[in-house]
Amino acid sequence: MDIPQLKLLAGHIRGLLQQSSCLVGHSQALDLIAALPGLRNWPEVMAFPERVAACELDTTSASRLAYRINKRFSVEVEPKQLLASLAHDGVTASRSVLQVWPGGPLPGVYVTTSEQAIDALLARYEDATDGGLVYAEQAANGWQGSIDLGEYGLWSSGIDRLPSGTLLVVGPLKLDQSTWKDSAERLEMACLHALNSEHRVAVLVDTPTPDRLCEDLDLMVRTVREEESDTPTALQGVVTDEGELQDRRPFARGYPKPVLIKAQADTGAIPRAALEPLRRELASRTHGMVLFGASRITDHTAYEQLSAALALTEHAGPAARIMPRHRGTPAKDWMVPEPIKQLPFLPSIDSAYAQGYRRMLVDAHYTEGDAWLDYDDVLFMGATYGHDVKEVALHLVARSGRRETKALQDIVAVLGLLHVQGKKGTAVATDLFLRGDAVGPMGTEWDEFEEFLKSHRVVRWEDELSGLLDAGTVTAASVKKSNPRNNYLADFLALRRGMKKAS
């Protein structure tokens, strides 16, 4: 580059800032453009022409200019965009030689599910860079040559000013329904650092489907924002077990076809009074939410009913189970009924949908209340705690934000079971709501929601529990003991006592 070219670029910068309503004088523009060769102002440009001659228009020089523009005029410009804009003005942009590990792999995002692969990469990087620093999240913050990115992680200030080629280690990213969105945003930021600052980013991922890792990460980056961008192009490859940053092209190679697993025809977990009405209701349903609740708290409350419902919904398409969260004891994820255990265990609704699954089993207690509302061609089946259909349904509706009405409209059936210890074992009182053709209230009044759910029950737990009490199968004391903090039960027992006194 020479001084006339630099002066030409100063005029380009002046016009560029005017488009952002930032008026810059001629001399100010010259002082700004002096950042390209790393000089403080235009007099230094004139005094050190050899520095100008050695200057190349690359990411590093563009980053210096972007920093100076932001510092002096509070106008944020991405170095990559600035580089592309300046290159149109007669100066060829050269691909910069990476400042760190210049002979190493290309900048980009490299992924793995192996902690050992990250350890091997750190050792390889240290050897290749003669002790170069690593900037890391939890996945590598114990390495002796790493600097902890701290509370702000990839949003920490100054990452984009690190030398190009620097190694960042991110993660572990946990892929499950509760963390999917947050992990997608972190992965997007990793891609932006790789694109804009030419860093190498290694990402450690914890996922229930390691064989679909690249496809899931590609999906996350493509869908984290509504608008299209070139961010997914930063997904460069994988970290091998030997610690190599290895290209993978194409990065995402497509999901396998969905697996259709025929459910066992065991519906014994659904009480007889509810089975046939529920079967008729679900026979024509291919979208919406079917909820199951039970008063007995276990590691997988109401999963027996969830499992039985698989045989009632096979017409709706292939089924998958969605991982709600990462447990401290992962083995408990598999302590479920056999028909559920056989289903693909996928990290998110988004991932399952992209793979073609149209029946999804979710833990309604840990799933965001509106996470399922954008899918009008999926039949969701959820399990949670509670025996009264109002309690079970409104717990989900309450977590749907401003979409309460849609959440209520999309709930097609609710089955609740009250377990009471009787004289001959556990007795069950059933509560069953079926929507049928009813539309339901269109407002947001909770009283209307409750009345709608209550009035469209085809089996009532109050009637069933009264029958158990009258027959002597259970006692009022055992009912109260089954769930002492439940207001529905307390009100029921109080009303029953009042009726007996009145008679």
Side-chain angles (χ1 to χ4, degrees), residues 123-179:
R124 182 181 291 270
Y125 179 81
E126 182 178 59
D127 183 62
T129 61
D130 295 317
L133 292 175
V134 175
Y135 293 79
E137 294 183 339
Q138 181 183 347
N141 61 9
W143 181 257
Q144 60 183 1
S146 71
I147 296 177
D148 194 338
L149 286 174
E151 179 182 357
Y152 297 103
L154 290 172
W155 284 265
S156 299
S157 60
I159 290 182
D160 55 348
R161 296 169 62 187
L162 296 175
S164 60
T166 296
L167 177 63
L168 310 177
V169 181
V170 177
L173 293 188
K174 294 185 177 182
L175 302 196
D176 59 48
Q177 182 60 42
S178 66
T179 61

